[in-house]
Amino acid sequence: MEKPEQLIVDGKRLDGRAPEELRPIKIVAGALGRADGSAYIEMGNNKVIAAVYGPREMHPRHEAQPDFAVLRCRYTMAPFSVEERKRPGPDRRSIEISKVIREALQPALFLELYPRAVIDVFIEVLQADAGTRTAGINAAAVALADAGIPMRDLVSAVAVGKVDNTIVIDLMKAEDQWGTTDMPVAMMPRKKAITLLQMDGHFTEEEFKRALDLAMRGCEQIYEAQRRALKEKYAVGGTE
Amino acid sequence: MMEVVARVRRDYLLSLLSQDKRVDGRALNQFRDIKVERGVIKTANGSAKVQIGNTTVVVGVKLEKGEPFPDLPEHGILVVNAELLPLASPTFEPGPPTEDAIELARVVDRGIRESETIALDKLAITPGEEVWAVFVDIDVLDHDGNLIDACALATTTALWDVKPPEDDAWTLERFPVQKKPVAVTVAKINGKLLVDPSLEEEQVMDARLTITTVEDGSICAMQKGGPFYFTRDEVEKAYMLAKEKSAELRNLLG
């Protein structure tokens, strides 16, 4: 795709969205048979699946911790998930993303309840259109709840950024690629606790505050979609 | 391998902090002594050594000819790598880079790249075929906490130290650096925010937020790390702290 002259025309983005509008979101809790918990998410053209195994015995044993469970996260992208085939296996980007995802989810868990155990979270990106780490967090949070693991709250995530000098939410690929700024945010909505915050690009102080507010509002909307997905699976007698 | 801190030591640290005091006597918004040296490595095009307290890092910049990326055929290349050398800490082991080393390099990389510290668009030799590649290599020699700030400061210093290579393909008068990004990491411990966490403080911290700013106070990169969270209010306070401290650190660049 060639760079378009403008990414925002008459206040509308390339896919017709308003700056503060999320892409359509679809979440299914319990998408896999073998995993202890799982979830599938679509955020726009992103398709991401997350699975949780555990709490289970830690292997290798020497990595077990005597007074809490270890949380492990592995974010990977399918070779076919991006335009040009991606070589399978972890690269530097996915290792860093796995780390920040783990640190985004960990505040929601009571790891001290499961000494010596491990909780494994696997996230596979099947189709990517920018914002895969935030989609992955949203799916993983639902998968953790689906696994029946006690949580302080779900974790909801979305990116905000600056495109054509406009603050926008939930960037798609073209905006991520040609925009000025990208800032993924995750939070536990009930406490408004920010558990992931990364940024690259350029923000003035004022833009940063506005973008952060927008991200936090977006997370609340995603939170509702996550809760709906869990209710669809678990509510007795259908959804509310 | 994980660093551990004795529970009594942890309690001591936390009880001091509850009175806004730190084990080494610093104020919450105070860095340890910082030493910046430029041009410490003659075999590199640019270099710097930074010490923050007992934390010591050396950065060397090498310029080499390379192939451009297909999507940016007229731009030079920037590659940042960090080595957590086993000589720097009993917890660092030889082998492929750990996630901490990768995160460290990528956070420093984003600060440089996103602020456009290097005018990469001036580093083409034959557009589409050959460009200058800027290799920033970070050696962590002694780990006593706050590696990100030390490495970022050393990197910016080393980039401003770069002398053009003696090569006919080099046509610019000087190495095209234009910004001075500075990273400041704010640690959160028991609800208190403090700058420049020592190793001991890192071991007990709930979370950290690194904010990289340029001269006008605008932000070019951020990274939250650690197992817990920040409130919205704490994020703003961390930004104010980072902005205040980055001006101090930038003065050391000369």
Side-chain angles (χ1 to χ4, degrees), chain B residues 17-239:
Chain B
L17 260 181
S18 67
Q19 311 158 50
D20 286 350
K21 287 182 185 156
R22 297 168 80 168
V23 174
D24 52 14
R26 282 185 288 157
L28 298 186
N29 67 346
Q30 190 183 350
F31 267 73
R32 293 167 285 182
D33 286 335
I34 307 177
K35 230 170 105 186
V36 180
E37 289 170 76
R38 255 165 97 144
V40 291
I41 306 290
K42 296 293 162 240
T43 42
N45 295 89
S47 62
K49 176 176 168 187
V50 164
Q51 286 171 285
I52 303 185
N54 289 324
T55 289
T56 307
V57 306
V58 171
V59 168
V61 180
K62 293 282 251 181
L63 295 177
E64 283 180 5
K65 290 181 215 168
E67 247 180 71
F69 289 112
D71 54 336
L72 286 170
E74 293 173 24
H75 282 65
I77 297 172
L78 170 65
V79 179
V80 180
N81 181 55
E83 295 288 335
L84 300 180
L85 300 171
L87 56 78
S89 160
T91 63
F92 295 166
E93 289 169 30
T98 58
E99 62 173 24
D100 289 325
I102 291 171
E103 184 190 33
L104 174 63
R106 288 176 62 87
V107 171
V108 172
D109 179 305
R110 286 200 284 268
I112 301 297
R113 193 181 300 276
E114 301 298 331
S115 59
E116 295 176 10
T117 293
I118 309 167
L120 291 175
D121 56 346
K122 291 188 181 152
L123 293 182
I125 300 169
T126 317
E129 281 174 34
E130 199 173 37
V131 298
W132 288 102
V134 182
F135 290 95
V136 174
D137 286 289
I138 302 169
D139 259 12
V140 173
L141 299 182
D142 210 348
H143 175 26
D144 193 26
N146 202 14
L147 292 180
I148 298 179
D149 294 4
C151 293
L153 187 61
T155 300
T156 301
T157 310
L159 286 171
W160 279 85
D161 181 57
V162 170
K163 276 101 37 201
E166 282 174 30
D167 189 306
D168 292 341
W170 185 271
T171 52
L172 300 172
E173 210 165 290
R174 55 181 275 275
F175 183 64
V177 274
Q178 46 196 12
K179 288 278 171 57
K180 292 181 176 172
V182 169
V184 173
T185 298
V186 177
K188 174 181 170 182
I189 306 177
N190 246 8
K192 299 276 182 188
L193 298 180
L194 50 94
V195 300
D196 184 29
S198 65
L199 180 61
E200 215 170 26
E201 288 168 336
E202 283 183 354
Q203 286 159 358
V204 303
M205 75 182 170
D206 299 321
R208 59 164 156 81
L209 181 63
T210 302
I211 302 172
T212 310
T213 52
V214 287
E215 289 90 326
D216 67 359
S218 63
I219 311 166
C220 57
M222 275 194 290
Q223 180 91 341
K224 177 250 166 191
F228 290 100
Y229 62 83
F230 284 93
T231 64
R232 164 75 214 250
D233 188 45
E234 288 165 347
V235 169
E236 268 190 47
K237 281 192 185 136
Y239 169 70

